[in-house]
Amino acid sequence: MTTLIDLFKRLSRALGLDTADSFPPGHVHARTRWNAAYFDIASDVKPDDMERRICDAIANTPLVFAHITNPTPRMQRALFSVLEQRLRLNHQREAAQLAALLIGAYRSPHIVEAMPGLKAAIAATAHDEAPARIRAVLEFMAQRDAPFDVIDMK
């Protein structure tokens, strides 16, 4: 019976009837996970397209970033872009929410840093309270020459 169930699972995944919640095994970002309820991505979708769809979701609804574990650098840059927009429009509360999401994502020791120095800036505030940590992250990003002008080569 278990063999039949395993075969059915493989067939379902191959036909795209399953909803993906991670990149396929062996992928460079195999540790990246997301809540499939927030990202309706069929399991037969190519990894680059999975990542693109998640980045599009972040651009449209940035709070979904909270439902991603070990976000890829590209996903982080999508959040940076929204954060920059919120800062330009002087939406401080929304920018603070997004900075808090970054701090949460960087709790993982396996995250790949998208902005050099961000991991160290977040780690330096590990014993501070949330508002101080958020201010430190926003100040770090403001000190960068062009923190959000990263060209995505994918």
Side-chain angles (χ1 to χ4, degrees):
M1 188 58 124
T2 58
T3 306
L4 185 61
I5 291 172
D6 289 342
L7 181 61
F8 180 69
K9 284 181 181 179
R10 278 193 210 156
L11 180 63
S12 178
R13 187 172 298 262
L15 293 174
L17 302 175
D18 249 356
T19 302
D21 63 354
S22 66
F23 292 111
H27 187 268
V28 67
H29 297 293
R31 289 185 181 206
T32 300
R33 301 268 186 276
W34 54 87
N35 185 329
Y38 292 92
F39 306 95
D40 188 21
I41 301 172
S43 58
D44 66 339
V45 173
K46 301 278 187 224
D48 284 343
D49 197 31
M50 286 179 180
E51 189 175 30
R52 183 192 56 75
R53 290 180 187 190
I54 292 171
C55 290
D56 289 346
I58 293 167
N60 292 321
T61 312
L63 295 180
V64 298
F65 191 83
H67 301 284
I68 303 169
T69 304
N70 297 319
T72 67
R74 188 174 175 189
M75 293 173 193
Q76 293 173 56
R77 287 190 295 270
L79 189 69
F80 295 161
S81 177
V82 176
L83 196 140
E84 176 191 32
Q85 179 187 33
R86 298 303 190 268
L87 288 173
R88 260 189 284 132
L89 296 173
N90 204 23
H91 294 161
Q92 298 299 323
R93 177 179 254 168
E94 293 173 18
Q97 285 179 320
L98 301 180
L101 293 177
L102 277 174
I103 292 168
Y106 274 78
R107 283 187 192 122
S108 170
H110 304 293
I111 193 164
V112 178
E113 188 176 46
M115 183 183 295
L118 181 59
K119 188 181 276 190
I122 290 172
T125 64
H127 300 293
D128 295 343
E129 292 191 22
R133 296 187 82 192
I134 290 168
R135 276 192 305 277
V137 167
L138 293 175
E139 287 171 8
F140 170 81
M141 294 180 142
Q143 291 175 357
R144 304 280 300 176
D145 290 335
F148 307 101
D149 296 337
V150 179
I151 297 173
D152 191 5
M153 298 304 288
K154 287 192 176 193

